[in-house]
mmCIF file of all heavy atoms in Angstrom:
data_model
loop_
_atom_site.group_PDB
_atom_site.id
_atom_site.type_symbol
_atom_site.label_atom_id
_atom_site.label_comp_id
_atom_site.label_asym_id
_atom_site.label_seq_id
_atom_site.Cartn_x
_atom_site.Cartn_y
_atom_site.Cartn_z
ATOM 1 N N ALA A 1 -0.347 -5.070 13.814
ATOM 2 C CA ALA A 1 0.117 -5.391 15.222
ATOM 3 C C ALA A 1 -0.523 -4.412 16.187
ATOM 4 O O ALA A 1 -0.862 -4.824 17.347
ATOM 5 C CB ALA A 1 1.632 -5.226 15.267
ATOM 6 N N THR A 2 -0.734 -3.177 15.793
ATOM 7 C CA THR A 2 -1.408 -2.206 16.682
ATOM 8 C C THR A 2 -2.800 -2.644 17.001
ATOM 9 O O THR A 2 -3.245 -2.616 18.181
ATOM 10 C CB THR A 2 -1.468 -0.804 15.975
ATOM 11 O OG1 THR A 2 -0.141 -0.363 15.756
ATOM 12 C CG2 THR A 2 -2.197 0.251 16.803
ATOM 13 N N ASN A 3 -3.544 -3.106 16.002
ATOM 14 C CA ASN A 3 -4.935 -3.587 16.201
ATOM 15 C C ASN A 3 -4.954 -4.827 17.050
ATOM 16 O O ASN A 3 -5.770 -5.038 17.934
ATOM 17 C CB ASN A 3 -5.639 -3.800 14.912
ATOM 18 C CG ASN A 3 -5.931 -2.474 14.245
ATOM 19 O OD1 ASN A 3 -6.196 -1.465 14.878
ATOM 20 N ND2 ASN A 3 -5.911 -2.459 12.882
ATOM 21 N N LEU A 4 -3.978 -5.724 16.770
ATOM 22 C CA LEU A 4 -3.926 -6.974 17.613
ATOM 23 C C LEU A 4 -3.608 -6.640 19.048
ATOM 24 O O LEU A 4 -4.242 -7.199 19.959
ATOM 25 C CB LEU A 4 -2.852 -7.907 17.006
ATOM 26 C CG LEU A 4 -3.274 -8.676 15.786
ATOM 27 C CD1 LEU A 4 -2.067 -9.299 15.084
ATOM 28 C CD2 LEU A 4 -4.257 -9.764 16.109
ATOM 29 N N SER A 5 -2.688 -5.687 19.223
ATOM 30 C CA SER A 5 -2.347 -5.295 20.614
ATOM 31 C C SER A 5 -3.622 -4.733 21.350
ATOM 32 O O SER A 5 -3.858 -5.112 22.454
ATOM 33 C CB SER A 5 -1.265 -4.201 20.593
ATOM 34 O OG SER A 5 -0.996 -3.739 21.878
ATOM 35 N N PHE A 6 -4.351 -3.958 20.635
ATOM 36 C CA PHE A 6 -5.547 -3.345 21.244
ATOM 37 C C PHE A 6 -6.585 -4.439 21.572
ATOM 38 O O PHE A 6 -7.121 -4.426 22.683
ATOM 39 C CB PHE A 6 -6.131 -2.308 20.337
ATOM 40 C CG PHE A 6 -7.283 -1.562 20.949
ATOM 41 C CD1 PHE A 6 -7.105 -0.678 21.971
ATOM 42 C CD2 PHE A 6 -8.565 -1.737 20.432
ATOM 43 C CE1 PHE A 6 -8.178 -0.022 22.529
ATOM 44 C CE2 PHE A 6 -9.630 -1.070 20.979
ATOM 45 C CZ PHE A 6 -9.429 -0.197 22.056
ATOM 46 N N LEU A 7 -6.775 -5.346 20.667
ATOM 47 C CA LEU A 7 -7.723 -6.455 20.898
ATOM 48 C C LEU A 7 -7.296 -7.320 22.099
ATOM 49 O O LEU A 7 -8.129 -7.652 22.932
ATOM 50 C CB LEU A 7 -7.917 -7.327 19.647
ATOM 51 C CG LEU A 7 -8.673 -6.670 18.479
ATOM 52 C CD1 LEU A 7 -8.614 -7.512 17.246
ATOM 53 C CD2 LEU A 7 -10.106 -6.395 18.892
ATOM 54 N N TYR A 8 -6.022 -7.625 22.146
ATOM 55 C CA TYR A 8 -5.523 -8.432 23.299
ATOM 56 C C TYR A 8 -5.663 -7.600 24.619
ATOM 57 O O TYR A 8 -5.955 -8.218 25.673
ATOM 58 C CB TYR A 8 -4.117 -8.904 23.068
ATOM 59 C CG TYR A 8 -4.045 -10.087 22.188
ATOM 60 C CD1 TYR A 8 -3.372 -10.068 20.960
ATOM 61 C CD2 TYR A 8 -4.610 -11.334 22.605
ATOM 62 C CE1 TYR A 8 -3.317 -11.203 20.123
ATOM 63 C CE2 TYR A 8 -4.559 -12.457 21.744
ATOM 64 C CZ TYR A 8 -3.898 -12.360 20.547
ATOM 65 O OH TYR A 8 -3.828 -13.466 19.777
ATOM 66 N N TYR A 9 -5.403 -6.341 24.492
ATOM 67 C CA TYR A 9 -5.565 -5.474 25.694
ATOM 68 C C TYR A 9 -6.997 -5.470 26.211
ATOM 69 O O TYR A 9 -7.268 -5.652 27.383
ATOM 70 C CB TYR A 9 -5.115 -4.049 25.357
ATOM 71 C CG TYR A 9 -5.233 -3.104 26.523
ATOM 72 C CD1 TYR A 9 -4.313 -3.071 27.574
ATOM 73 C CD2 TYR A 9 -6.262 -2.223 26.618
ATOM 74 C CE1 TYR A 9 -4.462 -2.249 28.631
ATOM 75 C CE2 TYR A 9 -6.420 -1.348 27.675
ATOM 76 C CZ TYR A 9 -5.502 -1.395 28.693
ATOM 77 O OH TYR A 9 -5.637 -0.512 29.751
ATOM 78 N N LEU A 10 -7.935 -5.380 25.264
ATOM 79 C CA LEU A 10 -9.386 -5.410 25.601
ATOM 80 C C LEU A 10 -9.723 -6.723 26.255
ATOM 81 O O LEU A 10 -10.602 -6.832 27.106
ATOM 82 C CB LEU A 10 -10.223 -5.139 24.370
ATOM 83 C CG LEU A 10 -10.209 -3.692 23.871
ATOM 84 C CD1 LEU A 10 -11.089 -3.586 22.599
ATOM 85 C CD2 LEU A 10 -10.683 -2.725 24.890
ATOM 86 N N GLY A 11 -9.066 -7.814 25.790
ATOM 87 C CA GLY A 11 -9.334 -9.178 26.319
ATOM 88 C C GLY A 11 -8.526 -9.441 27.553
ATOM 89 O O GLY A 11 -8.548 -10.561 28.088
ATOM 90 N N ASN A 12 -7.862 -8.403 28.103
ATOM 91 C CA ASN A 12 -7.082 -8.471 29.331
ATOM 92 C C ASN A 12 -5.923 -9.533 29.221
ATOM 93 O O ASN A 12 -5.601 -10.166 30.238
ATOM 94 C CB ASN A 12 -7.988 -8.802 30.518
ATOM 95 C CG ASN A 12 -7.291 -8.266 31.819
ATOM 96 O OD1 ASN A 12 -6.516 -7.333 31.792
ATOM 97 N ND2 ASN A 12 -7.593 -8.916 32.933
ATOM 98 N N GLU A 13 -5.440 -9.714 28.037
ATOM 99 C CA GLU A 13 -4.310 -10.542 27.803
ATOM 100 C C GLU A 13 -3.073 -9.675 27.610
ATOM 101 O O GLU A 13 -2.613 -9.378 26.482
ATOM 102 C CB GLU A 13 -4.471 -11.437 26.574
ATOM 103 C CG GLU A 13 -5.611 -12.431 26.709
ATOM 104 C CD GLU A 13 -5.838 -13.266 25.501
ATOM 105 O OE1 GLU A 13 -4.862 -13.864 25.003
ATOM 106 O OE2 GLU A 13 -7.002 -13.321 25.012
ATOM 107 N N LEU A 14 -2.510 -9.148 28.732
ATOM 108 C CA LEU A 14 -1.513 -8.145 28.686
ATOM 109 C C LEU A 14 -0.179 -8.558 28.062
ATOM 110 O O LEU A 14 0.472 -7.790 27.419
ATOM 111 C CB LEU A 14 -1.259 -7.569 30.122
ATOM 112 C CG LEU A 14 -2.440 -6.772 30.705
ATOM 113 C CD1 LEU A 14 -2.054 -6.292 32.090
ATOM 114 C CD2 LEU A 14 -2.847 -5.631 29.826
ATOM 115 N N ALA A 15 0.192 -9.841 28.293
ATOM 116 C CA ALA A 15 1.469 -10.326 27.687
ATOM 117 C C ALA A 15 1.342 -10.247 26.169
ATOM 118 O O ALA A 15 2.290 -9.780 25.469
ATOM 119 C CB ALA A 15 1.733 -11.750 28.163
ATOM 120 N N GLN A 16 0.263 -10.750 25.599
ATOM 121 C CA GLN A 16 0.075 -10.665 24.155
ATOM 122 C C GLN A 16 -0.025 -9.273 23.632
ATOM 123 O O GLN A 16 0.535 -8.879 22.633
ATOM 124 C CB GLN A 16 -1.163 -11.483 23.745
ATOM 125 C CG GLN A 16 -0.963 -12.970 23.754
ATOM 126 C CD GLN A 16 -0.093 -13.436 22.594
ATOM 127 O OE1 GLN A 16 1.103 -13.130 22.559
ATOM 128 N NE2 GLN A 16 -0.672 -14.163 21.661
ATOM 129 N N ALA A 17 -0.761 -8.442 24.393
ATOM 130 C CA ALA A 17 -0.901 -7.021 24.007
ATOM 131 C C ALA A 17 0.411 -6.358 24.016
ATOM 132 O O ALA A 17 0.760 -5.558 23.093
ATOM 133 C CB ALA A 17 -1.868 -6.331 24.990
ATOM 134 N N THR A 18 1.293 -6.653 25.000
ATOM 135 C CA THR A 18 2.620 -6.055 25.047
ATOM 136 C C THR A 18 3.463 -6.516 23.848
ATOM 137 O O THR A 18 4.144 -5.696 23.215
ATOM 138 C CB THR A 18 3.295 -6.403 26.393
ATOM 139 O OG1 THR A 18 2.513 -5.938 27.474
ATOM 140 C CG2 THR A 18 4.680 -5.849 26.482
ATOM 141 N N ASN A 19 3.434 -7.817 23.541
ATOM 142 C CA ASN A 19 4.215 -8.349 22.456
ATOM 143 C C ASN A 19 3.827 -7.651 21.106
ATOM 144 O O ASN A 19 4.707 -7.306 20.312
ATOM 145 C CB ASN A 19 3.980 -9.858 22.301
ATOM 146 C CG ASN A 19 4.606 -10.628 23.415
ATOM 147 O OD1 ASN A 19 5.538 -10.170 24.127
ATOM 148 N ND2 ASN A 19 4.133 -11.847 23.666
ATOM 149 N N TYR A 20 2.543 -7.527 20.830
ATOM 150 C CA TYR A 20 2.094 -6.928 19.626
ATOM 151 C C TYR A 20 2.394 -5.397 19.643
ATOM 152 O O TYR A 20 2.658 -4.790 18.600
ATOM 153 C CB TYR A 20 0.643 -7.247 19.288
ATOM 154 C CG TYR A 20 0.521 -8.619 18.710
ATOM 155 C CD1 TYR A 20 0.035 -9.655 19.440
ATOM 156 C CD2 TYR A 20 0.953 -8.850 17.421
ATOM 157 C CE1 TYR A 20 -0.025 -10.949 18.910
ATOM 158 C CE2 TYR A 20 0.857 -10.094 16.862
ATOM 159 C CZ TYR A 20 0.396 -11.201 17.630
ATOM 160 O OH TYR A 20 0.283 -12.431 17.072
ATOM 161 N N ALA A 21 2.270 -4.755 20.784
ATOM 162 C CA ALA A 21 2.597 -3.347 20.825
ATOM 163 C C ALA A 21 4.061 -3.108 20.547
ATOM 164 O O ALA A 21 4.478 -2.202 19.724
ATOM 165 C CB ALA A 21 2.298 -2.762 22.242
ATOM 166 N N ASP A 22 4.912 -4.027 21.057
ATOM 167 C CA ASP A 22 6.364 -3.940 20.769
ATOM 168 C C ASP A 22 6.602 -4.150 19.243
ATOM 169 O O ASP A 22 7.433 -3.461 18.629
ATOM 170 C CB ASP A 22 7.165 -4.958 21.566
ATOM 171 C CG ASP A 22 7.248 -4.648 23.022
ATOM 172 O OD1 ASP A 22 7.061 -3.439 23.370
ATOM 173 O OD2 ASP A 22 7.454 -5.516 23.835
ATOM 174 N N LEU A 23 5.964 -5.131 18.636
ATOM 175 C CA LEU A 23 6.053 -5.471 17.244
ATOM 176 C C LEU A 23 5.634 -4.209 16.401
ATOM 177 O O LEU A 23 6.311 -3.866 15.432
ATOM 178 C CB LEU A 23 5.251 -6.665 16.835
ATOM 179 C CG LEU A 23 5.235 -7.020 15.358
ATOM 180 C CD1 LEU A 23 6.674 -7.388 14.891
ATOM 181 C CD2 LEU A 23 4.311 -8.270 15.123
ATOM 182 N N ALA A 24 4.550 -3.623 16.791
ATOM 183 C CA ALA A 24 4.039 -2.432 16.078
ATOM 184 C C ALA A 24 5.040 -1.281 16.129
ATOM 185 O O ALA A 24 5.248 -0.587 15.098
ATOM 186 C CB ALA A 24 2.678 -2.005 16.661
ATOM 187 N N ILE A 25 5.610 -1.099 17.317
ATOM 188 C CA ILE A 25 6.604 0.037 17.499
ATOM 189 C C ILE A 25 7.866 -0.315 16.719
ATOM 190 O O ILE A 25 8.417 0.597 16.052
ATOM 191 C CB ILE A 25 6.852 0.285 18.968
ATOM 192 C CG1 ILE A 25 5.625 0.894 19.632
ATOM 193 C CG2 ILE A 25 8.065 1.237 19.125
ATOM 194 C CD1 ILE A 25 5.696 0.945 21.154
ATOM 195 N N ASN A 26 8.293 -1.516 16.717
ATOM 196 C CA ASN A 26 9.473 -1.865 15.958
ATOM 197 C C ASN A 26 9.303 -1.803 14.466
ATOM 198 O O ASN A 26 10.222 -1.462 13.720
ATOM 199 C CB ASN A 26 9.967 -3.349 16.259
ATOM 200 C CG ASN A 26 10.448 -3.409 17.724
ATOM 201 O OD1 ASN A 26 10.972 -2.405 18.287
ATOM 202 N ND2 ASN A 26 10.404 -4.597 18.289
ATOM 203 N N SER A 27 8.067 -1.992 13.999
ATOM 204 C CA SER A 27 7.754 -1.880 12.578
ATOM 205 C C SER A 27 7.616 -0.372 12.149
ATOM 206 O O SER A 27 7.898 -0.014 11.038
ATOM 207 C CB SER A 27 6.471 -2.600 12.266
ATOM 208 O OG SER A 27 6.589 -3.958 12.508
ATOM 209 N N ASP A 28 7.125 0.436 13.075
ATOM 210 C CA ASP A 28 6.925 1.866 12.751
ATOM 211 C C ASP A 28 7.038 2.694 14.095
ATOM 212 O O ASP A 28 6.016 2.813 14.814
ATOM 213 C CB ASP A 28 5.611 2.097 12.111
ATOM 214 C CG ASP A 28 5.309 3.567 11.739
ATOM 215 O OD1 ASP A 28 6.206 4.439 11.954
ATOM 216 O OD2 ASP A 28 4.177 3.875 11.266
ATOM 217 N N ARG A 29 8.165 3.210 14.352
ATOM 218 C CA ARG A 29 8.442 3.906 15.600
ATOM 219 C C ARG A 29 7.603 5.179 15.796
ATOM 220 O O ARG A 29 7.497 5.689 16.847
ATOM 221 C CB ARG A 29 9.969 4.279 15.650
ATOM 222 C CG ARG A 29 10.386 4.899 16.951
ATOM 223 C CD ARG A 29 10.311 3.903 18.044
ATOM 224 N NE ARG A 29 10.411 4.554 19.398
ATOM 225 C CZ ARG A 29 10.312 3.999 20.475
ATOM 226 N NH1 ARG A 29 10.100 2.690 20.553
ATOM 227 N NH2 ARG A 29 10.433 4.656 21.595
ATOM 228 N N TYR A 30 6.975 5.688 14.685
ATOM 229 C CA TYR A 30 6.262 6.944 14.732
ATOM 230 C C TYR A 30 4.716 6.657 14.757
ATOM 231 O O TYR A 30 4.013 7.575 14.463
ATOM 232 C CB TYR A 30 6.699 7.817 13.579
ATOM 233 C CG TYR A 30 8.131 8.092 13.599
ATOM 234 C CD1 TYR A 30 9.006 7.424 12.717
ATOM 235 C CD2 TYR A 30 8.685 8.996 14.529
ATOM 236 C CE1 TYR A 30 10.386 7.662 12.751
ATOM 237 C CE2 TYR A 30 10.092 9.185 14.588
ATOM 238 C CZ TYR A 30 10.877 8.547 13.706
ATOM 239 O OH TYR A 30 12.210 8.836 13.773
ATOM 240 N N ASN A 31 4.321 5.481 15.033
ATOM 241 C CA ASN A 31 2.895 5.142 15.046
ATOM 242 C C ASN A 31 2.330 5.519 16.435
ATOM 243 O O ASN A 31 2.573 4.836 17.401
ATOM 244 C CB ASN A 31 2.748 3.663 14.790
ATOM 245 C CG ASN A 31 1.272 3.176 14.835
ATOM 246 O OD1 ASN A 31 0.424 3.809 15.333
ATOM 247 N ND2 ASN A 31 1.083 1.963 14.252
ATOM 248 N N PRO A 32 1.521 6.566 16.500
ATOM 249 C CA PRO A 32 1.028 7.037 17.818
ATOM 250 C C PRO A 32 0.079 6.056 18.491
ATOM 251 O O PRO A 32 0.106 5.873 19.691
ATOM 252 C CB PRO A 32 0.317 8.337 17.492
ATOM 253 C CG PRO A 32 0.084 8.360 16.027
ATOM 254 C CD PRO A 32 1.092 7.493 15.440
ATOM 255 N N ALA A 33 -0.663 5.298 17.668
ATOM 256 C CA ALA A 33 -1.588 4.309 18.244
ATOM 257 C C ALA A 33 -0.786 3.199 18.868
ATOM 258 O O ALA A 33 -1.131 2.648 19.955
ATOM 259 C CB ALA A 33 -2.581 3.797 17.203
ATOM 260 N N ALA A 34 0.319 2.746 18.253
ATOM 261 C CA ALA A 34 1.220 1.702 18.788
ATOM 262 C C ALA A 34 1.792 2.162 20.104
ATOM 263 O O ALA A 34 1.838 1.406 21.085
ATOM 264 C CB ALA A 34 2.236 1.338 17.761
ATOM 265 N N LEU A 35 2.286 3.431 20.101
ATOM 266 C CA LEU A 35 2.902 3.953 21.336
ATOM 267 C C LEU A 35 1.873 4.080 22.448
ATOM 268 O O LEU A 35 2.195 3.780 23.595
ATOM 269 C CB LEU A 35 3.522 5.326 21.020
ATOM 270 C CG LEU A 35 4.743 5.218 20.085
ATOM 271 C CD1 LEU A 35 5.072 6.623 19.520
ATOM 272 C CD2 LEU A 35 5.983 4.695 20.835
ATOM 273 N N THR A 36 0.655 4.424 22.122
ATOM 274 C CA THR A 36 -0.396 4.535 23.088
ATOM 275 C C THR A 36 -0.716 3.169 23.628
ATOM 276 O O THR A 36 -0.927 2.944 24.855
ATOM 277 C CB THR A 36 -1.630 5.224 22.474
ATOM 278 O OG1 THR A 36 -1.272 6.536 22.044
ATOM 279 C CG2 THR A 36 -2.776 5.326 23.508
ATOM 280 N N ASN A 37 -0.828 2.187 22.738
ATOM 281 C CA ASN A 37 -1.107 0.813 23.188
ATOM 282 C C ASN A 37 -0.021 0.314 24.126
ATOM 283 O O ASN A 37 -0.293 -0.330 25.136
ATOM 284 C CB ASN A 37 -1.215 -0.146 22.049
ATOM 285 C CG ASN A 37 -2.494 -0.056 21.319
ATOM 286 O OD1 ASN A 37 -3.478 0.537 21.812
ATOM 287 N ND2 ASN A 37 -2.569 -0.665 20.115
ATOM 288 N N LYS A 38 1.232 0.566 23.808
ATOM 289 C CA LYS A 38 2.359 0.170 24.669
ATOM 290 C C LYS A 38 2.239 0.887 26.023
ATOM 291 O O LYS A 38 2.384 0.290 27.070
ATOM 292 C CB LYS A 38 3.683 0.544 24.019
ATOM 293 C CG LYS A 38 4.898 0.150 24.830
ATOM 294 C CD LYS A 38 5.038 -1.321 25.092
ATOM 295 C CE LYS A 38 6.275 -1.588 25.826
ATOM 296 N NZ LYS A 38 6.499 -3.005 26.145
ATOM 297 N N GLY A 39 1.884 2.171 25.988
ATOM 298 C CA GLY A 39 1.665 2.905 27.250
ATOM 299 C C GLY A 39 0.534 2.254 28.085
ATOM 300 O O GLY A 39 0.638 2.185 29.261
ATOM 301 N N ASN A 40 -0.521 1.816 27.361
ATOM 302 C CA ASN A 40 -1.646 1.190 28.067
ATOM 303 C C ASN A 40 -1.236 -0.070 28.767
ATOM 304 O O ASN A 40 -1.671 -0.361 29.854
ATOM 305 C CB ASN A 40 -2.774 0.926 27.124
ATOM 306 C CG ASN A 40 -3.462 2.218 26.625
ATOM 307 O OD1 ASN A 40 -3.255 3.246 27.154
ATOM 308 N ND2 ASN A 40 -4.275 2.078 25.568
ATOM 309 N N THR A 41 -0.412 -0.864 28.112
ATOM 310 C CA THR A 41 0.050 -2.147 28.733
ATOM 311 C C THR A 41 0.964 -1.860 29.932
ATOM 312 O O THR A 41 0.834 -2.529 30.981
ATOM 313 C CB THR A 41 0.739 -3.075 27.730
ATOM 314 O OG1 THR A 41 1.938 -2.454 27.248
ATOM 315 C CG2 THR A 41 -0.174 -3.444 26.560
ATOM 316 N N VAL A 42 1.780 -0.850 29.771
ATOM 317 C CA VAL A 42 2.678 -0.477 30.904
ATOM 318 C C VAL A 42 1.852 0.095 32.079
ATOM 319 O O VAL A 42 2.063 -0.219 33.242
ATOM 320 C CB VAL A 42 3.751 0.519 30.461
ATOM 321 C CG1 VAL A 42 4.579 1.072 31.575
ATOM 322 C CG2 VAL A 42 4.660 -0.132 29.381
ATOM 323 N N PHE A 43 0.868 0.922 31.721
ATOM 324 C CA PHE A 43 -0.089 1.540 32.701
ATOM 325 C C PHE A 43 -0.773 0.376 33.476
ATOM 326 O O PHE A 43 -0.849 0.431 34.738
ATOM 327 C CB PHE A 43 -1.095 2.419 32.007
ATOM 328 C CG PHE A 43 -2.002 3.158 32.896
ATOM 329 C CD1 PHE A 43 -1.725 4.549 33.171
ATOM 330 C CD2 PHE A 43 -3.108 2.604 33.542
ATOM 331 C CE1 PHE A 43 -2.595 5.286 33.973
ATOM 332 C CE2 PHE A 43 -3.934 3.341 34.344
ATOM 333 C CZ PHE A 43 -3.702 4.687 34.598
ATOM 334 N N ALA A 44 -1.267 -0.586 32.769
ATOM 335 C CA ALA A 44 -1.998 -1.709 33.408
ATOM 336 C C ALA A 44 -1.138 -2.492 34.356
ATOM 337 O O ALA A 44 -1.598 -3.077 35.301
ATOM 338 C CB ALA A 44 -2.574 -2.641 32.322
ATOM 339 N N ASN A 45 0.217 -2.462 34.109
ATOM 340 C CA ASN A 45 1.129 -3.146 35.003
ATOM 341 C C ASN A 45 1.602 -2.221 36.182
ATOM 342 O O ASN A 45 2.432 -2.608 36.977
ATOM 343 C CB ASN A 45 2.348 -3.641 34.225
ATOM 344 C CG ASN A 45 1.958 -4.866 33.413
ATOM 345 O OD1 ASN A 45 1.230 -5.747 33.894
ATOM 346 N ND2 ASN A 45 2.463 -4.981 32.186
ATOM 347 N N GLY A 46 1.065 -0.983 36.224
ATOM 348 C CA GLY A 46 1.339 -0.052 37.349
ATOM 349 C C GLY A 46 2.546 0.821 37.221
ATOM 350 O O GLY A 46 2.847 1.542 38.129
ATOM 351 N N ASP A 47 3.178 0.818 36.080
ATOM 352 C CA ASP A 47 4.299 1.738 35.876
ATOM 353 C C ASP A 47 3.857 2.991 35.142
ATOM 354 O O ASP A 47 3.985 3.152 33.911
ATOM 355 C CB ASP A 47 5.435 1.032 35.012
ATOM 356 C CG ASP A 47 6.745 1.791 35.002
ATOM 357 O OD1 ASP A 47 6.749 3.006 35.437
ATOM 358 O OD2 ASP A 47 7.754 1.220 34.559
#
């Protein structure tokens, strides 16, 4: 899910990137790459 989130983020598909980042975090709350991806999607939305 972390890798999928990153690929969707690179493709500028933020909704999909956010969904997979959430899935990655829900599967492993301590995954720094998943948390970073989630941060990237939130950053891209201006928060």
Side-chain angles (χ1 to χ4, degrees):
T2 299
N3 290 327
L4 283 165
S5 174
F6 186 68
L7 289 172
Y8 280 117
Y9 179 79
L10 289 177
N12 204 28
E13 296 180 49
L14 293 180
Q16 284 287 68
T18 300
N19 290 338
Y20 280 104
D22 289 338
L23 177 62
I25 291 170
N26 290 335
S27 298
D28 180 5
R29 184 67 193 177
Y30 303 103
N31 180 341
L35 292 162
T36 301
N37 284 347
K38 180 64 177 178
N40 291 347
T41 62
V42 173
F43 186 101
N45 287 320
D47 190 348

